[in-house]
Amino acid sequence: MFALLRARPELRDAGPWLPPPTLNFSVYAATLKTKGSTDNHATSPHANQYFNSRVGQATCHVITVRLWPNSAGAVMQPFLQSPFKITLSITQTCNLRCKYCYADCSRKRAKDELSTKEWLGFVDYLVANDFVSLYIEGGEPLARPGFLKVLEYATPKMMTLLRTNGTLVDRRMAARLKRIGVGRVLVDIMGACAETHDYLTGVDGSFDAACAGVRHLLEAGIETDVLTILNRRNVGELQDYLSLAHRLGVPRAGILRLYPLGRAKTHWPELALSLDEQMAALEALKAPAGLKVMKSWHPTDRNCCWQSAAVDSFGKSIGCAYLREYVDYGNIREMPFLDTWEHPLYRELRSGAVEKSCTDCESSQGTKGGCRSAAYAFHGRWGAPDPFCTTLNEGVDLRVLPARTLQHGTRSSRSPRA
């Protein structure tokens, strides 16, 4: 196994830190984020200045890899010694009441969420430990008092991405986000029309407000994408969703899976589609010229655990936002985050050890087995195959949740002291 070259030039020539000359290794482009980077995320002026200065100090993160045998001989399974990017599920406060919510968000702030001061301190910790990318979601971050202070504090130090429902983004807010220097904003658009979107969000007028938010962000010069979660209510207008994204002027539109988490489980019989229904809808899509469509079904189903890091609004290290109900690696109020990185289950999931893997997805993504959250939700085993992959589904009906998953509750999306 190779080691990770952290942002310390003096380590570049240290023998134990370098791979054998007979093996290739990759410098992960996303960690540099300079202009012209091959990464998908755009950079803000603050981020460019920061990353250029760090590159000048020979900053780089080298993917650590170990060899995992397969039928073809061997593949390079990526493995990080320590993470370089992290997701902050910064609040469960939200101005909507979405049927697909992966927590149980409400307008009232949840008890015992991290304070603004605690988040600012955690940003300092991340920077001191060479994190370079920060992805922030909620709830609705813009509905949380003090959030913009955290964002403004982080942007000169890290690449920042913000996911929002868009309803609170007027021209003034867009201009402020531009001044702060956020790198990219991702806005949830849950249907191609108000009837569908507003039904799913539980708030009339949210569709028009979200679309207006996208326009304000683009007018302010902020890189902006739209996202939707594929479900039974919007599957019939998926092509129209792409057309809407194109009309709004965004460069990318994401289509995400529906995960059995939080409030979404309550509405699962109404929202869930079979895998055949999902694939038929996806395969029928024709992207408008100039619009990139992002999706993660076969043959691009990947296992992200090797690089994932996340902290929920209560300070729990959860690896990935989609694992929020299933894991608790420790709380950053009680231990340094990088200590949670060494949790045995966290290490197991990052190892990429799975029971079965799809060769097509493995070839395109360089990882094995697909999503661990979906695998665990439907099979109850961490090494199980991801049923959202057509090769690995093995007859699993995605419209029906196991009783175990329904009874699991929202343990990791509630306050540990509630």
Side-chain angles (χ1 to χ4, degrees):
M1 184 176 70
F2 303 164
L4 176 71
L5 177 60
R6 301 296 291 170
R8 299 183 178 90
E10 67 271 17
L11 296 178
R12 284 179 298 173
D13 299 320
W17 290 80
L18 296 179
T22 56
L23 295 176
N24 294 325
F25 63 98
S26 301
V27 177
Y28 196 61
T31 64
L32 300 182
K33 305 236 175 24
T34 55
K35 291 180 180 178
S37 167
T38 59
D39 180 57
N40 288 329
H41 301 314
T43 58
S44 68
H46 291 306
N48 277 330
Q49 181 179 3
Y50 169 70
F51 288 113
N52 286 334
S53 68
R54 299 299 290 271
V55 170
Q57 300 169 19
T59 298
C60 65
H61 291 249
V62 177
I63 292 180
T64 320
V65 296
R66 61 174 53 155
L67 295 177
W68 291 95
N70 69 359
S71 58
V75 296
M76 303 296 278
Q77 170 68 32
F79 184 88
L80 287 175
Q81 189 74 18
S82 58
F84 58 85
K85 63 179 183 177
I86 191 168
T87 294
L88 304 185
S89 297
I90 201 164
T91 187
Q92 287 194 12
T93 300
C94 188
N95 59 321
L96 303 181
R97 186 70 181 172
C98 302
K99 288 177 169 57
Y100 52 85
C101 180
Y102 291 154
D104 191 18
C105 299
S106 69
R107 292 179 179 271
K108 184 179 179 180
R109 185 174 175 181
K111 183 182 178 181
D112 286 331
E113 287 191 342
L114 266 63
S115 67
T116 298
K117 181 179 180 180
E118 287 175 306
W119 282 122
L120 293 174
F122 190 54
V123 169
D124 285 336
Y125 174 87
L126 295 174
V127 172
N129 285 278
D130 302 323
F131 284 76
V132 297
S133 181
L134 192 63
Y135 181 94
I136 306 173
E137 61 173 22
E140 173 48 52
L142 295 175
R144 182 199 183 280
F147 165 68
L148 290 177
K149 184 176 182 180
V150 176
L151 184 66
E152 188 168 21
Y153 189 70
T155 51
K157 304 172 176 66
M158 308 173 75
M159 173 63 188
T160 53
L161 300 94
L162 169 64
R163 183 174 179 181
T164 172
N165 63 43
T167 61
L168 301 179
V169 181
D170 55 15
R171 284 190 173 86
R172 184 175 180 180
M173 177 59 72
R176 186 170 181 185
L177 291 172
K178 177 64 175 179
R179 288 195 301 272
I180 287 174
V182 66
R184 183 177 290 271
V185 177
L186 303 95
V187 180
D188 290 335
I189 304 289
M190 291 299 151
C193 65
E195 180 182 3
T196 300
H197 178 98
D198 292 358
Y199 175 81
L200 289 168
T201 63
V203 175
D204 290 344
S206 58
F207 175 76
D208 290 339
C211 291
V214 172
R215 295 187 185 98
H216 295 323
L217 290 164
L218 292 171
E219 289 170 2
I222 297 173
E223 295 285 346
T224 305
D225 300 332
V226 295
L227 302 174
T228 200
I229 297 174
L230 179 60
N231 63 80
R232 188 164 297 283
R233 280 278 176 169
N234 65 17
V235 64
E237 55 196 72
L238 206 55
Q239 183 64 51
D240 292 336
Y241 159 74
L242 297 184
S243 298
L244 172 63
H246 187 250
R247 291 197 305 274
L248 289 171
V250 298
R252 307 191 305 178
I255 303 172
L256 309 179
R257 305 173 177 186
L258 180 69
Y259 280 87
L261 297 165
R263 197 181 301 143
K265 290 191 296 188
T266 303
H267 297 279
W268 197 261
E270 173 192 359
L271 299 179
L273 295 160
S274 70
L275 184 57
D276 286 345
E277 290 171 317
Q278 294 176 51
M279 296 307 298
L282 294 167
E283 290 168 0
L285 294 177
K286 296 182 179 179
L291 181 71
K292 180 177 180 180
V293 180
M294 303 174 290
K295 53 186 187 294
S296 59
W297 284 260
H298 182 275
T300 56
D301 182 16
R302 62 185 175 274
N303 181 346
C304 300
C305 282
W306 70 272
Q307 63 175 332
S308 292
V311 172
D312 73 9
S313 61
F314 307 110
K316 289 183 179 180
S317 172
I318 54 176
C320 169
Y322 297 134
L323 291 173
R324 66 184 73 200
E325 288 188 17
Y326 308 130
V327 304
D328 180 359
Y329 300 133
N331 197 298
I332 63 170
R333 282 172 163 158
E334 301 167 356
M335 64 180 69
F337 174 81
L338 290 180
D339 285 359
T340 76
W341 180 259
E342 299 303 325
H343 188 284
L345 177 58
Y346 206 166
R347 291 175 61 89
E348 176 187 340
L349 297 186
R350 295 200 314 272
S351 74
V354 293
E355 298 166 12
K356 295 180 181 180
S357 186
C358 167
T359 55
D360 292 336
C361 296
E362 185 179 307
S363 176
S364 69
Q365 302 300 303
T367 62
K368 290 175 171 288
C371 176
R372 295 300 83 207
S373 173
Y376 186 79
F378 282 92
H379 293 290
R381 305 188 310 278
W382 288 116
D386 180 357
F388 280 83
C389 174
T390 53
T391 302
L392 302 177
N393 177 266
E394 298 180 336
V396 173
D397 187 348
L398 298 178
R399 297 167 297 182
V400 181
L401 291 180
R404 164 187 39 78
T405 300
L406 288 169
Q407 295 168 2
H408 211 283
T410 55
R411 177 186 60 178
S412 293
S413 44
R414 289 198 304 262
S415 164
R417 301 183 180 92

